[in-house]
Amino acid sequence: MDLIRPLAQHIFLPLSRRREGFNTSAIVRELEASQFFSPEEIRDNQFSRIKQLLTDACRHVPYYRRLFDEHGIVPRDISSLQEFEKLPMLTKSDIRDNQQELLSDKYNVGELIPKKTGGSTGVPLHLYWGREATAFKQAATQRHDAWSGYSPGEKLAQLWGADAGHDTLRARLYNFLVTRRLLLDTLEMDEENSLAFVDKIKHYRPRYLLGHAHSLYILALFLESHDIGDLGIRSIISTAEVLTEGERRKIEEIFHAEIFNRYGCEELSMVASECEQHEGLHVCAEGLYVEVIDGDEDKPGELVITDLVNDAMPFIRYKIEDTATIYTTPCACGRGLPRLKKLFGRSSDFLYTPDGRMLSGISIMDHFAIDIPGVWQVQVIQDALDHLHFKIVQTEQFGESSLAKFAETVPRFFGREMHYDVEYVESLPMTARGKYQFAISKIDKPNR
Ligand SMILES: [Zn+2]
């Protein structure tokens, strides 16, 4: 029996949140109700928040005061979401170049919660959340977690990138009593560490597992190849990377667990996640306004996101550099929150064909990573419009038939004009944050 769980849930966690000054529980209760509001009501609430945010940004944030001035934008004149969607977007380089100017003069920096993101370009962004926004984001995560059955105080195993500064006595005590996480660093997923992690799971017996999509897949392959049976995990939350259909099937099969896919990022926290229907990802629409530019149910569009709660450093129409398709029909679960259908990863992960097509790396990954026998991991680097460089970590099954399958798969997706070579490697480098990248494009988007 798990004796610490009720203590964690009812005593240590509330105490720790009270010390931080966050009233998370009250917000969770509101969000549990508002997820079932009608789509119209949700949109009306979003528009009121947007109006408030624009007025506030114009008054208190030097960057927006200047931007609105330059473009002749008057917040009170914005009368619909359609009009709002014409405002200038905020890019990552805008943030980097205007870090100080983006801060609201309503707050002292000292009272804000600092955030640092790795960013796709490797240049970190320094961000700040207000305290209320932080409480909201905690509460939003808690609501979305609940869809997978997980609630605070439960034991959780986590496959994650390096978490520097985690190993103080105080942090360990906090983890033992409050967050209760068993951590495996995805940068160190070798044989020895993976075995040790599996042993720890068997001993600790968490029912929930959270991790980067591809690391979960690699762990599933590891369990399969070592004939390790059911670990007692009930739900798996996959996040931080795009989860492909093939990876999903394999992870669910090996773990005998249900996957809840999730999309979030350091700068906004929870963006969207699957409910028990597993038909797309519900957006956390009380806190975010998500646009999918020129996208629909089949065609991926660029995501542009407005943070409706963080007025300390407002992100208005933030170009996050990810792409997704959307559902426009209601979900069978009855929640009114809008849904993203599928995530396609960063726009920089797209590959190009000599005959002028664009392919999302993630949409073809299964065909190389799963369908070719003997491939443990694979990465493709496009170094010219008509050349791909594959890096492969092999298993013993890799052989002639694998190469034949390769020779068949490349032209199937890239056309006959595409050349390629294959390099065999011991392991594939993860990004600085412990993430796996299947496709890397080193060429500029071709002009057509
Ligand atoms: Zn649903």
Side-chain angles (χ1 to χ4, degrees), residues 6-56:
L7 296 175
Q9 197 166 2
H10 301 297
I11 298 172
F12 301 129
L13 183 74
L15 269 179
S16 126
R17 282 178 175 170
R18 199 173 311 156
R19 259 191 73 220
E20 289 169 329
F22 298 162
N23 190 3
T24 312
S25 317
I27 310 173
V28 173
R29 279 194 296 277
E30 281 173 27
L31 291 174
E32 271 166 359
S34 61
Q35 62 187 336
F36 291 105
F37 288 1
S38 71
E40 296 71 33
E41 196 171 356
I42 290 171
R43 268 197 301 275
D44 286 348
N45 291 344
Q46 286 180 308
F47 186 59
S48 322
R49 289 247 193 185
I50 284 173
K51 291 282 279 187
Q52 210 181 326
L53 182 72
L54 292 176
T55 310
D56 191 82

Side-chain angles (χ1 to χ4, degrees), residues 5-297:
R5 186 186 152 191
L7 296 175
Q9 197 166 2
H10 301 297
I11 298 172
F12 301 129
L13 183 74
L15 269 179
S16 126
R17 282 178 175 170
R18 199 173 311 156
R19 259 191 73 220
E20 289 169 329
F22 298 162
N23 190 3
T24 312
S25 317
I27 310 173
V28 173
R29 279 194 296 277
E30 281 173 27
L31 291 174
E32 271 166 359
S34 61
Q35 62 187 336
F36 291 105
F37 288 1
S38 71
E40 296 71 33
E41 196 171 356
I42 290 171
R43 268 197 301 275
D44 286 348
N45 291 344
Q46 286 180 308
F47 186 59
S48 322
R49 289 247 193 185
I50 284 173
K51 291 282 279 187
Q52 210 181 326
L53 182 72
L54 292 176
T55 310
D56 191 82
C58 191
R59 202 170 291 159
H60 295 287
V61 182
Y63 174 82
Y64 283 109
R65 197 157 43 226
R66 194 185 70 221
L67 184 84
F68 290 177
D69 209 35
E70 277 168 16
H71 289 79
I73 297 161
V74 182
R76 67 168 179 278
D77 291 349
I78 308 274
S79 63
S80 66
L81 287 170
Q82 287 75 13
E83 276 179 39
F84 170 70
E85 290 180 9
K86 290 180 192 146
L87 298 191
M89 293 182 202
L90 180 73
T91 63
K92 291 192 177 175
S93 48
D94 290 335
I95 299 170
R96 258 189 305 271
D97 299 344
N98 298 280
Q99 260 158 191
Q100 288 306 312
E101 288 226 280
L102 272 163
L103 288 174
S104 167
D105 64 20
K106 286 198 296 187
Y107 301 94
N108 293 317
V109 178
E111 56 182 320
L112 301 176
I113 316 289
K115 291 261 145 194
K116 199 166 115 181
T117 86
S120 51
T121 50
V123 184
L125 297 179
H126 294 270
L127 316 167
Y128 292 92
W129 288 351
R131 301 189 73 79
E132 279 173 37
T134 306
F136 179 92
K137 287 171 191 297
Q138 281 185 352
T141 304
Q142 190 172 326
R143 174 185 69 182
H144 288 243
D145 280 344
W147 301 348
S148 69
Y150 173 81
S151 57
E154 301 251 23
K155 294 178 191 172
L156 179 79
Q158 190 171 343
L159 279 176
W160 212 248
D163 215 4
H166 216 76
D167 211 26
T168 59
L169 182 63
R170 195 193 157 108
R172 272 194 243 169
L173 189 66
Y174 183 79
N175 190 47
F176 180 71
L177 295 174
V178 183
T179 42
R180 313 195 70 210
R181 302 200 164 186
L182 176 67
L183 201 73
L184 174 71
D185 189 342
T186 49
L187 286 171
E188 296 171 7
M189 280 184 73
D190 56 17
E191 176 95 11
E192 194 186 328
N193 285 321
S194 300
L195 266 179
F197 186 59
V198 167
D199 278 344
K200 282 185 196 161
I201 290 182
K202 284 180 177 166
H203 183 72
Y204 191 55
R205 296 198 293 177
R207 286 188 297 174
Y208 300 91
L209 172 63
L210 170 82
H212 295 176
H214 192 71
S215 305
L216 292 168
Y217 173 69
I218 291 296
L219 186 63
L221 289 185
F222 179 83
L223 297 180
E224 189 181 37
S225 64
H226 288 70
D227 236 347
I228 298 168
D230 197 343
L231 289 176
I233 302 284
R234 184 212 281 170
S235 295
I236 299 176
I237 298 173
S238 167
T239 186
E241 288 167 339
V242 176
L243 174 72
T244 70
E245 272 315 303
E247 288 183 336
R248 175 182 206 121
R249 273 195 305 275
K250 180 59 93 182
I251 299 166
E252 288 191 326
E253 175 202 323
I254 302 294
F255 279 97
H256 307 283
E258 196 176 348
I259 287 205
F260 292 82
N261 194 13
R262 170 177 296 188
Y263 170 57
C265 61
E266 206 75 22
E267 51 273 44
L268 301 167
S269 186
M270 166 66 63
V271 176
S273 78
E274 280 181 5
C275 68
E276 62 282 0
Q277 298 291 327
H278 305 287
E279 289 281 337
L281 295 82
H282 284 287
V283 171
C284 179
E286 297 92 338
L288 302 170
Y289 181 67
V290 175
E291 301 167 52
V292 182
I293 308 289
D294 292 330
D296 55 32
E297 207 162 302

Side-chain angles (χ1 to χ4, degrees), residues 398-440:
F398 196 91
E400 282 306 313
S401 65
S402 317
L403 287 171
K405 184 89 178 162
F406 233 94
E408 183 190 302
T409 310
V410 172
R412 183 170 143 214
F413 291 103
F414 294 92
R416 303 239 154 252
E417 290 164 72
M418 183 61 95
H419 305 281
Y420 69 95
D421 60 16
V422 174
E423 179 191 355
Y424 302 101
V425 293
E426 284 290 306
S427 63
L428 283 171
M430 295 287 201
T431 68
R433 299 189 71 81
K435 290 194 196 178
Y436 163 74
Q437 204 176 358
F438 167 66
I440 298 170

